[in-house]
Amino acid sequence: MSAPDPADPLSKSCPRVRGVDIMRDPLLNKGLAFTLHERQILGIHGLMPAVFLHQDQQVYQVMQNFNRWDDNLDRFIYLMGLQDCNEKLFYRVVTENVELMMPVIYTPTVGLACQKFGMIFRKPRGLYITIHDLGHVQSILGNWPIEDVKAIVVTDGERILGLGDLGAFGMGIPVGKLALYTALAGVNPRNCLPILLDVGTNNDSVRNDPLYIGLKQKRDRGDKYDQLVDEFMKAVVERYGETCLIQFEDFGNHNAFRFLQKYRDSYCTFNDDIQGTASVAVSGILASLQITGKKLEENLFVFQGAGEASIGIAKLLLMAMGERGLSQEEALSKIWMVDSKGLIVKDRKSGAVAGEKILFARDHKHIENLGDIIKTLKPTAIIGAAAIPGAFTEEILKNMASFNQRPIIFALSNPTSKAECTAEQAYNFTGGRCVFASGSPFRPVTHNGQTFKPGQGNNAYIFPGVALATIGVEIRRIPESIFLEAAKCLSGLVTKEDLAEGRVYPPLSTIRSASLKIAAHVAEYAYRNDLAFLLPEPKDKKAFIESHMYNTEYANYIPDVFEWPGVERESQMAILFKPECNCLK
């Protein structure tokens, strides 16, 4: 902690933070790690047991508790309780055990946590803004006690993972995403704000749940809904400035694309379901080329699903192929889309093609069955993002192996229960020759004596690093090209050893390092293309960004006289704990 200037009385607008208030603030609390001197000076001596535990001992205690649970939902609840109590300790535990913790604090467990949100709800995190708050959004933002918010994740709960409309139960997603901002990219949790726009839910079972925490009404889809989102966007800029990042998460397909187009040129915003998914998937495809030996433009892609994830991936693929010299018409010829009505073709009688799908409608006879589509088109890669479990059948996987030496199989739907196929099915039915990636984690698979470690195409490889760069160098608009740059950077981090094990992504244990490298790469790109507004431009982008990453080590709240040279300890204490001093924060 930097020492206050003795000549500066500091801000007189903030109250003193002392006593039990410190213990109740997860940003300040250190639990039993407070020293005797801190306990005495801060007014908490006697409010906790006499023992002193340093942070390493606390981590050991947390892991003992974590491992005694057999159920990941119980582990999730325990970790959320820890986050509500002591954020430094929570994030140290997560960052030191990323591969173990990711399936618990994020997919697939977060999906179940959202479904059970009413039952496990303990303490509100973030803001809940309802459709009835129209005209008062600014005042609600003003109720949030922290003024230097730099990143917001917002949802309306309509399309939570592959689970559908969960309404206010969807708050688990913004909370989880922002936890990954900090754990995986070092964004200060103080600067993060999860928000739920509660406009009702059309899910009868959720709405009628006696433990439901949201508005018990049908989802509002009228003009008031658009007015609420408009007011929210303007209120964020007014309160936190136009460099505040707004990440849209788990909106319905129609609204997701609509809001991205509406706000991307006027606000610092992106949609992770569209752009983050696209970036991580394209990264996996680029890495897989090192295994298949094919050029990107030599592939033929079939997408099972034509929602925001699939269309986002397809559009980014068009951009990537455009960079390789293909015209849009040539690039489009490499991509085929399949929705609930079958192959997306022009003048389809089984169901009209509208919206974002129109771009990918082809001149071809209509085929309804995915298996028949695969046999007819003979793609080199199939990508699933429609949350239809088992869509990649044994027949489809065997056919992919029959006309490809190294077929690309990406089963990206979340949570695990919605995956198009398992890793074991993919490797077994293709004779161990496929290049596989999934949205949720799968255990290693041994086939014919060879062990494969499936790559997890998790958006967490992308959005924390992009957010870190956006916040770090003050990017105000986020074009699609930034996500292609992030994809290229991530694919370049995959080693020969990773590829030999079947991975097309770096190990999750290295994800914090990967986020920093992606952030530095994106920052370089931003300055080259006049997208960054932080001046002067840092010479070493990586070192600059790293210097601002969140530190999970505890702060020393009582400065030593040698750390505050020239000021006697009595004078230090008089300044530090005068009633108007808020320097602990």
Side-chain angles (χ1 to χ4, degrees), residues 317-564:
L317 275 175
L318 292 180
M319 181 178 288
M321 287 190 276
E323 283 194 355
R324 294 171 182 253
L326 272 69
S327 67
Q328 177 159 303
E329 184 178 355
E330 290 171 327
L332 282 169
S333 71
K334 308 292 182 181
I335 296 173
W336 296 81
M337 290 275 183
V338 181
D339 64 9
S340 60
K341 304 294 183 180
L343 192 63
I344 293 179
V345 296
K346 295 178 180 178
D347 302 320
R348 188 174 65 178
K349 295 181 180 179
S350 65
V353 177
E356 298 288 331
K357 300 178 186 179
I358 293 174
L359 176 64
F360 299 97
R362 305 283 297 277
D363 287 313
H364 195 278
K365 68 175 182 179
H366 180 237
I367 309 174
E368 289 189 15
N369 180 267
L370 179 61
D372 293 336
I373 291 169
I374 299 301
K375 284 189 287 187
T376 302
L377 299 179
K378 294 182 171 55
T380 59
I382 52 175
I383 300 171
I388 300 177
F392 296 167
T393 63
E394 178 180 351
E395 179 187 13
I396 287 174
L397 294 170
K398 286 182 175 179
N399 280 334
M400 285 293 294
S402 72
F403 40 73
N404 289 294
Q405 181 60 33
R406 301 301 301 268
I408 297 173
I409 312 292
F410 279 16
L412 300 181
S413 292
N414 283 315
T416 310
S417 61
K418 300 292 184 179
E420 288 74 16
C421 67
T422 66
E424 186 175 15
Q425 290 168 338
Y427 288 116
N428 287 342
F429 294 145
T430 62
R433 291 189 283 112
C434 72
V435 182
F436 178 81
S438 60
S440 288
F442 283 102
R443 293 180 178 178
V445 175
T446 299
H447 179 83
N448 289 339
Q450 183 177 0
T451 298
F452 300 95
K453 297 180 179 178
Q456 185 185 352
N458 195 314
N459 295 20
Y461 278 107
I462 295 295
F463 70 80
V466 170
L468 182 62
T470 301
I471 295 167
V473 299
E474 298 183 9
I475 297 172
R476 297 183 184 178
R477 306 290 179 265
I478 307 175
E480 207 71 23
S481 55
I482 277 184
F483 289 95
L484 182 55
E485 290 300 316
K488 291 189 289 188
C489 180
L490 179 61
S491 68
L493 301 179
V494 182
T495 66
K496 292 181 179 179
E497 291 74 21
D498 295 331
L499 295 170
E501 292 179 334
R503 301 181 194 266
V504 289
Y505 300 102
L508 277 174
S509 59
T510 66
I511 196 168
R512 190 175 172 97
S513 172
S515 293
L516 176 58
K517 291 173 183 176
I518 289 170
H521 180 83
V522 168
E524 291 281 4
Y525 176 83
Y527 276 107
R528 287 198 308 270
N529 292 273
D530 298 324
L531 296 171
F533 285 81
L534 179 71
L535 296 175
E537 176 182 347
K539 291 183 179 180
D540 187 335
K541 312 295 189 301
K542 183 178 177 182
F544 173 80
I545 291 172
E546 188 172 20
S547 71
H548 287 79
M549 292 175 71
Y550 181 67
N551 188 345
T552 60
E553 294 181 5
Y554 290 137
N556 177 16
Y557 291 150
I558 309 302
D560 187 83
V561 64
F562 299 108
E563 297 174 0
W564 196 350

Side-chain angles (χ1 to χ4, degrees), residues 202-222:
N202 288 340
N203 187 323
D204 292 339
S205 63
V206 168
R207 192 174 59 251
N208 296 326
D209 185 337
L211 298 179
Y212 183 55
I213 63 172
L215 292 178
K216 295 193 174 184
Q217 65 178 52
K218 290 276 190 179
R219 181 171 289 274
D220 193 317
R221 298 186 182 278

Side-chain angles (χ1 to χ4, degrees), residues 137 154 228-238 246 248 259 263 267-269:
V137 174
V154 60
L228 180 68
V229 178
D230 269 341
E231 184 180 340
F232 163 72
M233 298 297 285
K234 293 173 183 175
V236 167
V237 171
E238 184 175 339
I246 305 170
F248 280 74
F259 290 147
Y263 297 122
Y267 294 88
C268 179
T269 187

Side-chain angles (χ1 to χ4, degrees), residues 22-36:
I22 286 179
M23 298 171 60
R24 290 173 176 169
D25 189 334
L27 294 172
L28 299 177
N29 186 31
K30 300 198 294 188
L32 294 174
F34 282 112
T35 66
L36 177 60

